Amino acid sequence: MYNSHTDIWVAGAFAAVVVDFIVYPFDTLKTRIQSPNYEKVFKDARTGAIKRQILFKGLYQGVWSVVFSTIPASGAFFTTYETVKSILHNSSKSNQNRNLSGADGTLNKFHLPFTHSLPTPIMHGIASSTGEMVSCLMLTPAEVLKQNAQMINQSQSHNKNTGDKSAMRQVLSKFRHHPWRLWSGYTALVSRNLPTTAIQFPIFEFVRSRLIDRRRRRKAESARRTGSRRGNDTIEAGQSDQLIERAGLTGLAAAISGTIASTVTTPIDVVKTRVMLSASEGHLSGSQNETREKNKAARDKGPFAVGRDILRNEGARGLFKGGLIRAGWTAIALGLYLSLYEGGRFWLEKRRMERDGIGRDEGGQVV
């Protein structure tokens, strides 16, 4: 890798902002379906039919809180992830080049003061989990604001107390006197994201490496059958191959790993949503005492207690509410996210190498 921390930060932030705008409506729908008030607010009490005009209204409510927090959070995640991953790989006993400090990239100069023999999936799990804990510190307030804004029913919120205030301004007013509640969902967010990330990234790295190896084998076999040609466009062809491998195959591997991880961790996501929605009293405009008491009770409980309540009152199906939507948009979002990230990182790396007069051989190694 020939990227600096700045390259990683910029690539991660760019990818995150683009993906946030694309998949945000799906996240809003997931939040509303997982809400404890879904049956009362978004379904007709008499017929049981979904109130589509309410469920599908304001799908971008709260999006700016996520966009502004994603820029630092995604940069922090990828910087931490790539750094920890490089340190662990450089310090592994199986790394034959651990003594060539900094020879092929700015992140390869970091080592632990000792060597280890951790398996590669464990190293990827440690790196991704460390990055996620750092990222969640920045994401939690935005997640709390976002999910409470997503639940505002704008068609019924224009009363003497709220006037014409936007969904986000209404939510912010509820935290004005209790700003520390913006971090009330940190434990729940980490509890959801750590297992998801720890499952997701080892699978992602494994699938991506297999896809790249398979493509290279097919390409080598094709070259042997037809006879390889070498010309002035060899370097450009190699760069095109690198872009396909790092952006295209990365996106495919991310979609596969994201689908698996999101499906397995949906119950944790449901609990996280309930905890964050309870952070503000009466998160739905016009809420009654019953809703307010329910929110207070949820706030006073931990994630495990909330999970037990869901299981007791709604059964196992309650823990998988919104799972299909989550799996679908995670596959799309993560595939696009990591594809854009790797594509951006490749472009920034290429510029940096051209500036420093450094090239790569046909295998993609720095020369």
Side-chain angles (χ1 to χ4, degrees), residues 154-212:
Q154 289 282 44
S155 63
Q156 298 179 3
S157 63
H158 300 298
N159 53 43
K160 62 181 181 180
N161 295 322
T162 63
D164 293 327
K165 290 195 295 185
S166 66
M168 183 52 67
R169 288 178 62 192
Q170 291 182 49
V171 172
L172 284 171
S173 67
K174 297 176 182 178
F175 290 95
R176 185 172 54 210
H177 301 297
H178 307 285
W180 58 87
R181 287 184 182 168
L182 289 172
W183 277 271
S184 63
Y186 177 77
T187 302
L189 186 62
V190 170
S191 297
R192 181 200 69 173
N193 286 8
L194 273 189
T196 303
T197 305
I199 294 170
Q200 185 174 281
F201 272 84
I203 295 175
F204 160 70
E205 296 281 5
F206 174 81
V207 173
R208 181 172 65 168
S209 66
R210 291 298 179 272
L211 290 174
I212 291 175

Side-chain angles (χ1 to χ4, degrees), residues 319-359:
L319 289 172
F320 285 90
K321 280 186 174 181
L324 187 60
I325 292 177
R326 183 170 184 250
W329 74 254
T330 298
I332 297 170
L334 190 66
L336 183 60
Y337 182 34
L338 292 184
S339 180
L340 286 173
Y341 166 69
E342 281 294 333
R345 196 161 67 89
F346 174 75
W347 183 75
L348 292 170
E349 181 184 64
K350 183 171 173 287
R351 285 186 58 194
R352 185 176 295 277
M353 292 173 68
E354 289 175 351
R355 185 194 64 191
D356 296 344
I358 296 174

